[in-house]
Amino acid sequence: MKRLIISILILSSVLFNGCVEKAVQSNKSENTKDCIVYNIGELPKELIMLTEYDVRQQDLLVNLFEGLVKTDEKGNIIPGISDSWTISKDETCYVFNIREDAKWSDGNDIVADDFVDFFSKILSKDINNKFADQLYYVFGAAEYRQGKREFNNVAIRAVDKKKLEIRLNYPCNYFLNILAEPIYSLRKINENLVDWKTAYKNILFTGSFIIDNVDKSNNITLVKNNNYWNEDAIRSNKILLTCINSSEASLADFQSGSIDIFTNPPISEVKSLNDSGEISQLPSYNTESLVFNLNKDGVVKDVNFRKALACYIDRNYITKEILSNTARSALTYIPTGIGNGLNGLFTNKIYFNGDVEKDKALEYMKKSKFNNSSESLKMIYIDTVENKKICENISKNLRDNLGIKIECIGCSIDEFNDAISKSDYDLAKVDFKGSYDYPLPFLERYSSMYSDNNYGYKNVQFDTILEKSKLERDKNKKIELLKMAENTLYDDVPVIPIYFSDTVICKKKNIKDVYFTKEGNIKLDKVYIDLEP
């Protein structure tokens, strides 16, 4: 009997000892975990998060904050802090009804004016926001951003305490898709979000969890937000987020039991993890491409040369042999599975081939100005094992079959960005994540008016088609215009899509109901540990 009592006391001590200790003691029984450990990777510098798009870092936003609407795992728009909304007959006026039980984490009511304040802050010219133009559909938003009018002349207003009205310049059938993005989750835009690792106790949260602690190793303890409107549906009382920024180290901790969930394991380990039933994949919005430097004189300005290269990329080999089927060959510019704003999916013609098109490539080379000189081109890439293999595979194929000499140079992120800004390259392997579920953001990045288009591609016709698509009131005609824009991009080939990467998640078998949004964010509100043997 004495031994039994001691065993019970030891087990109780383990159960209530806290997440942080669990993270460093990997020899604990699976049945004694008191919380789930998710390795989120590199942490964001701040929680305003309007200066760059990182789907993993945005996992913090989707679990700590909530917007008017959100998306489920199938990409459907579902209620968030707004439990319902109405859209005017001309589709330019949206009225959102704020839940009666919606509260900040301190227990105070969330009201329509909170959203007015939020939008006024993120649209202000005084804040760095690379996504601001997404809201230019709203009447007066562009002029306010440019400092040409006050926010009280922007068509975002509180009708009453619980009704928010937003009026648009013209119909935008994907406006809810934009509002469902994590960056539009309601939060107080202030210094607490900037200094979040030390000021987390002063942050007001609106989502499923709040930050309870950030330790010296930057491990983050999340606990259930007891004032969240759907608090009863949250399955776990506590989640620990770790920040191991290495796929190899994450896998080691996963195998030792220190972490329960992480994403994007080493490619070399995908097959064994898949065989063990500890892995799942989800198509993402992420496109990996080769972009040409059209700011620089040389053969890359020759469209026939660019088309020849596009024909000699072995996409199927790259996705199957190098990436172990964690990606899909990109045969179009718009990833498969992107919505068309008409309750369906966007589809257009297939432009590229998964396998090498040798004869077609040789035809284009004959038309090009390439003279098989000793000059070599410079291809830069972010220095990872997979990027190195991919770029070297492309380089070898082009050298052996078309006589094109390419020097592949791996760079740190800072070196890569510096080379792009200085036009010190001929080709670059780039990745791009569409910011919302609609074809426009995948095309708009190559518009000459797009702030991040540093590659020198300028086509007035392409720009005009995209602008027309925004202004067009007929939803079907909008899609036809976007197809025309994609066709134009193919005609010019300023960029060659290579593959659409998947999000790969590893989780222990006893971790249940982890789910992704269609954008690829991991939601933790339903996750729990199955303690059954």
Side-chain angles (χ1 to χ4, degrees), residues 380 410-420:
I380 61 173
C411 309
S412 68
I413 293 175
D414 289 340
E415 290 169 341
F416 184 86
N417 291 334
D418 186 58
I420 294 291

Side-chain angles (χ1 to χ4, degrees), residues 15 36 74 106 131 154 156 211 236 323 361 383 428 482 519:
L15 280 169
I36 294 165
K74 295 180 180 179
D106 65 354
F131 308 102
V154 177
I156 301 176
I211 298 176
S236 294
L323 298 175
D383 196 5
L482 292 172
E519 294 81 359

